[in-house]
Amino acid sequence: MKENNIKVFINKTHNGNLSFEDNKFIFNYLKNSKDIVSLTMPLRSSSWINQKIHPIFEMNMPEGSLKEVIKNHFAKLQKMNDINFLRLIGPYMLGRVKFNKIIDSNEKLELYDILKSNKENLFEELMQRFAIRSGISGVQPKLLLSAHNKTTMKFEHFIVKSFEKNYPNLALNEYFCMCAIKNAGLQTPDFYLSNDNSMFIMKRFDVKDDGSYLGFEDMCVLTARQTEQKYDGSYEEVTRVIKDVIAPQNRRRSLKIFFKAIVMNHLLQNGDGHLKNYGILYENDYTDSYLAPIYDVITTTVYIKNDIPALKLGDGKLWFKDKTYKTFAKQSCALSDKDYNEILQECIDAVIKTKFEISKFKSNDKDIAKFLDELKICWREEI
């Protein structure tokens, strides 16, 4: 294809073509296409035209340190614009939508070896080895890789995260926050902490047993926003998307799950629950769609003392009051007072239980012990 054109695949099937012409991004489905690339872009013969790259195609483009690694490595060879980024990392991109060509990697790792490794710079080694294969968004350093899981005896797909000096012990932070989310009865992907506490590892939730992918779209895509706008919008807007896009049979449960996740964000003081941290999964389209498991939860106030929530609720961004949550629960999530009180108590109980688990966590590192004490202090036990 021409330099400014690139093939778009759904799983392993060529589904359409993306081009950049006259400062516009243009996507066209092939005549025989049967699968949508996005819930926001149904099948049609006319082009889908955007001034910026379509949100579904930008969704998993690298950000932060990973983007810089790729850019620095390849900038001498070609201009690293959006199309060339997709051309480069598109074959390895997270999820069902891939670009340029399909590549099957036969390189196998053992999950056990990653978790138990004593190598001081293992993440940096993995970064150099797998950076080009990591089509995944986010500022935190992270990688996509596949590894054999001795517990399940399966070859599974994982996201591996490390942390930067500005955010010490981020892997521990996310691990215990996700423990709290799980203790609250919310669905999470399988997750692990490396023995040296330096890496948080999460199993992919969009990969099916046969190796094909479920459709996944985050709330940036579903609200027609670019990644740079992930802090725009409101939690009320997310509930409207849930009502519009999620299948009727899954809607009430999804609203209840989302509300509980918002309450947990409050108690855990997670100021980074932005539009890219909530998403929808589907097999075919909106007729079988449902809310994705909860992921990417950390306590931000342990690093940024006066941090605030990522999105608006009611009139602004602040750690909201009980009255605001009750109104949101009733008006936006269609929950009863009984639902509200039960969810709040379940969340508080989860925080208390996880604080106890943190207290039992053994570490000879004084800095880690101090950090975990600070983490517990940040967590709240009431709205």
Side-chain angles (χ1 to χ4, degrees):
M1 299 187 74
K2 294 180 181 179
E3 184 178 346
N4 286 334
N5 289 266
I6 193 168
K7 291 180 179 179
V8 179
F9 293 82
I10 299 296
N11 283 308
K12 295 185 178 181
T13 303
H14 183 200
N15 200 59
N17 298 310
L18 176 66
S19 61
F20 184 67
E21 303 172 16
D22 299 325
N23 293 317
K24 295 177 183 177
F25 291 90
I26 303 167
F27 173 74
N28 289 291
Y29 284 105
L30 299 181
K31 288 183 179 180
N32 60 346
S33 296
K34 296 180 180 179
D35 296 314
I36 57 173
V37 295
S38 169
L39 295 170
T40 64
M41 296 168 65
L43 293 171
R44 70 183 192 188
S45 57
S46 56
S47 302
W48 288 95
I49 302 173
N50 257 30
Q51 293 293 330
K52 294 186 177 181
I53 192 166
H54 304 73
I56 186 63
F57 301 143
E58 187 201 32
M59 183 172 73
N60 290 318
M61 288 182 67
E63 302 172 67
S65 61
L66 180 56
K67 185 172 185 178
E68 290 306 309
V69 168
I70 296 172
K71 183 185 290 186
N72 292 338
H73 191 76
F74 291 96
K76 290 182 180 179
L77 302 178
Q78 61 185 23
K79 183 179 179 181
M80 296 308 295
N81 55 23
D82 288 341
I83 288 287
N84 282 335
F85 256 111
L86 291 180
R87 195 186 312 282
L88 189 64
I89 68 168
Y92 311 102
M93 214 158 213
L94 183 151
R96 68 196 279 270
V97 181
K98 290 181 170 57
F99 304 87
N100 194 29
K101 56 187 175 182
I102 297 296
I103 296 175
D104 291 315
S105 173
N106 295 318
E107 186 168 12
K108 292 187 177 182
L109 301 171
E110 289 287 342
L111 177 62
Y112 177 88
D113 292 338
I114 298 171
L115 293 172
K116 306 296 181 181
S117 175
N118 292 319
K119 283 189 177 181
E120 186 175 343
N121 298 312
L122 178 60
F123 185 81
E124 286 77 7
E125 180 182 315
L126 292 172
M127 176 76 89
Q128 292 298 323
R129 191 169 162 191
F130 293 101
I132 187 61
R133 303 183 191 179
S134 292
I136 182 170
S137 66
V139 176
Q140 183 181 351
K142 63 184 78 169
L143 298 167
L144 292 179
L145 53 81
S146 298
H148 181 256
N149 189 339
K150 290 181 179 179
T151 303
T152 62
M153 299 303 293
K154 292 180 180 179
F155 193 60
E156 297 177 337
H157 305 268
F158 299 91
I159 297 171
V160 181
K161 301 181 184 180
S162 184
F163 58 85
E164 296 177 318
K165 292 180 180 179
N166 292 340
Y167 302 103
N169 297 306
L170 193 57
L172 270 169
N173 186 336
E174 185 164 1
Y175 176 77
F176 280 114
C177 283
M178 291 301 293
C179 286
I181 293 294
K182 191 173 183 179
N183 287 337
L186 288 164
Q187 185 183 3
T188 69
D190 293 342
F191 58 89
Y192 311 87
L193 181 69
S194 63
N195 273 21
D196 64 359
N197 305 316
S198 69
M199 291 184 291
F200 177 84
I201 301 170
M202 185 183 82
K203 183 180 174 182
R204 296 266 300 276
F205 54 72
D206 61 331
V207 184
K208 298 192 288 184
D209 289 340
D210 63 3
S212 62
Y213 298 86
L214 294 168
F216 172 78
E217 299 181 30
D218 64 34
M219 290 296 166
C220 264
V221 173
L222 296 170
T223 58
R225 288 184 169 94
Q226 305 297 132
T227 295
E228 64 190 18
Q229 298 171 298
K230 63 187 178 183
Y231 294 105
D232 295 349
S234 67
Y235 293 113
E236 289 95 340
E237 188 175 4
V238 174
T239 62
R240 289 195 289 272
V241 171
I242 290 173
K243 293 171 186 175
D244 288 343
V245 176
I246 285 183
Q249 67 270 21
N250 300 323
R251 201 168 292 158
R252 173 169 168 74
R253 173 173 163 76
S254 295
L255 287 167
K256 197 170 184 179
I257 290 170
F258 180 66
F259 179 72
K260 180 180 273 191
I262 298 304
V263 172
M264 286 301 294
N265 275 348
H266 179 107
L267 298 180
L268 297 175
Q269 294 289 278
N270 173 26
D272 207 38
H274 52 67
L275 293 174
K276 293 190 71 64
N277 283 345
Y278 303 100
I280 287 174
L281 289 168
Y282 57 91
E283 179 80 32
N284 298 303
D285 52 32
Y286 63 88
T287 60
D288 56 26
S289 56
Y290 55 97
L291 197 68
I294 304 302
Y295 59 94
D296 282 6
V297 179
I298 63 167
T299 298
T300 59
T301 57
V302 76
Y303 308 115
I304 308 167
K305 184 177 179 181
N306 296 316
D307 199 17
I308 58 175
L311 301 175
K312 291 181 181 179
L313 181 62
D315 294 330
K317 292 183 181 182
L318 45 84
W319 297 111
F320 316 107
K321 302 296 184 182
D322 181 68
K323 182 179 179 180
T324 304
Y325 282 114
K326 280 185 176 178
T327 301
F328 176 63
K330 184 175 183 179
Q331 295 183 356
S332 296
C333 302
L335 300 179
S336 66
D337 288 342
K338 181 182 177 183
D339 291 330
Y340 176 83
N341 291 327
E342 286 179 350
I343 288 172
L344 184 58
Q345 191 58 55
E346 288 169 357
C347 291
I348 291 170
D349 290 345
V351 168
I352 294 171
K353 180 180 179 180
T354 313
K355 281 185 175 182
F356 179 70
E357 292 171 354
I358 292 174
S359 297
K360 293 197 301 179
F361 184 80
K362 294 180 180 179
S363 174
N364 295 323
D365 189 315
K366 292 182 179 179
D367 289 336
I368 287 179
K370 181 182 178 182
F371 175 81
L372 291 177
D373 284 341
E374 291 172 351
L375 193 67
K376 288 190 294 182
I377 291 170
C378 289
W379 288 8
R380 299 185 180 183
E381 296 178 17
E382 61 180 4
I383 295 294

